Amino acid sequence: MEMTFGRRMLDMSHCHVMGVLNVTPDSFSDGGQYNRLDAALFRAREMVKHGAAFIDVGGESTRPGAASVSVQQELDRVCPAVEAIARELDVIVSVDTSTPEVMAQAVGLGAGLINDVRALQRDGALVAAASAGVPVCIMHIQGEPETMQNRPEYQNILREVSEFLTLRIRAAEQAGIPTQNIILDPGFGFGKNIEHNLRLLASLEQLQVLGHPLLVGLSRKSMLGQITGRDVDERLPASLAAATISAMKGASIIRVHDVRETVDAVKVVMAVKETV
Ligand code: 8Y7
């Protein structure tokens, strides 16, 4: 159950919190406030102080309709933050990217995890991730970020997500990524409507049969807005409920904007789980 991220080891039978650090000018819930290096470092320090085990640094918005970025633009946004956080802070830096060049450079600068919402499907991504030698998070997505929310359809969401992830595990292994370096994510909101997302969350524990640690991201997502009627900046209670459910159902990593609050919720879940 131990997993090695660069020079750090974590027990994946526990639940860990990953803090979101957007270094985009257009990300929906940070509003691009943290696009300068000093602001990014300040925010990262705060999340580590609040108990984040991972900081997920992303320079490309996957929101439908977001402007696409060039490889150079993404490198310029992501690399300084990855390097500074890896140097200064006791935390695992995760690089949120689908771009092979960004994977390679970020890991060279100290990133310990590759988080690819396109499941290493871009040309060169499997090879880059395999050469980088760090764990990867493979996320389910139906379609492409631009168009994924246009009438997503499934016959059986759990089966289709499992089959997709199984195919991507096989591709990753064939590219030379060790099976013990693979984390899986059902990809809440990535080509899924509210019913799909709810069905996946309700049956999350069944994804454990795939035999890999699970990462989930539900923080502030639109399904929580649909359920509660709240705007994005008022979704903390709903996000904590979603994190609690995920931790109860066996998630090893929970990706969130609100680290301090989520760490407390996860502590309660772990205390209950450790009580037989
Ligand atoms: C997820 C993610 C986003 C997620 C993983 C948002 C980068 C959208 N969501 N990565 N990234 N899982 N692994 O609302 O659910 O934060 S971006």
Side-chain angles (χ1 to χ4, degrees):
M1 271 302 195
E2 294 264 330
M3 211 160 168
T4 304
F5 301 88
R7 30 190 205 84
R8 264 171 267 265
M9 283 182 30
L10 279 190
D11 178 358
M12 301 305 274
S13 68
H14 282 243
C15 183
H16 305 276
V17 174
M18 168 183 278
V20 176
L21 186 66
N22 290 312
V23 289
T24 60
D26 61 349
S27 55
F28 83 94
S29 54
D30 279 339
Q33 278 166 273
Y34 299 112
N35 52 2
R36 293 177 353 270
L37 181 59
D38 56 344
L41 249 180
F42 182 89
R43 182 81 186 109
R45 278 187 205 112
E46 201 168 52
M47 292 195 287
V48 173
K49 190 175 74 188
H50 293 162
F54 297 84
I55 304 282
D56 191 37
V57 180
E60 184 218 13
S61 175
T62 47
R63 183 183 51 173
S68 68
V69 287
S70 70
V71 172
Q72 193 56 51
Q73 237 174 341
E74 197 186 343
L75 285 168
D76 292 344
R77 289 177 186 175
V78 167
C79 290
V82 167
E83 200 252 316
I85 296 165
R87 178 161 34 84
E88 185 190 318
L89 297 173
D90 184 21
V91 73
I92 298 161
V93 179
S94 163
V95 60
D96 158 19
T97 189
S98 303
T99 312
E101 294 88 341
V102 178
M103 294 174 186
Q105 289 209 32
V107 172
L109 293 169
L113 172 65
I114 293 168
N115 175 30
D116 182 6
V117 301
R118 293 179 183 80
L120 305 174
Q121 293 182 102
R122 273 206 183 144
D123 285 347
L126 282 166
V127 169
S131 316
V134 299
V136 298
C137 177
I138 293 178
M139 198 194 78
H140 174 271
I141 180 170
Q142 185 182 81
E144 278 283 314
E146 267 300 311
T147 52
M148 65 190 178
Q149 291 307 103
N150 299 344
R151 300 201 158 273
E153 270 192 56
Y154 299 86
Q155 297 293 319
N156 179 327
I157 176 102
L158 187 69
R159 196 182 62 218
E160 289 172 52
V161 167
S162 297
E163 285 171 0
F164 173 95
L165 292 174
T166 301
L167 286 175
R168 297 314 297 159
I169 292 167
R170 199 169 308 155
E173 289 171 350
Q174 278 170 1
I177 297 171
T179 194
Q180 69 271 16
N181 271 4
I182 299 174
I183 297 169
L184 300 178
D185 185 333
F188 289 105
F190 286 83
K192 295 161 189 93
N193 65 26
I194 177 81
E195 285 79 24
H196 300 142
N197 287 316
L198 283 171
R199 188 155 302 199
L200 265 183
L201 183 54
S203 44
L204 187 68
E205 68 277 3
Q206 295 186 49
L207 289 177
Q208 290 192 68
V209 303
L210 296 175
H212 293 268
L214 300 179
L215 187 159
V216 303
L218 284 155
S219 180
R220 301 183 186 173
K221 282 193 178 170
S222 75
M223 68 176 278
L224 303 179
Q226 287 178 260
I227 294 168
T228 60
R230 305 282 183 199
D231 286 341
V232 66
D233 55 348
E234 293 176 338
R235 294 179 190 161
L236 174 58
S239 298
L240 293 176
T244 302
I245 294 164
S246 304
M248 282 298 298
K249 288 174 174 282
S252 298
I253 305 175
I254 311 215
R255 181 182 180 278
V256 299
H257 302 85
D258 303 282
V259 170
R260 191 205 316 243
E261 295 85 349
T262 309
V263 165
D264 279 3
V266 166
K267 279 182 181 168
V268 175
V269 173
M270 294 312 292
V272 171
K273 283 191 153 190
E274 281 158 20
T275 306
V276 194

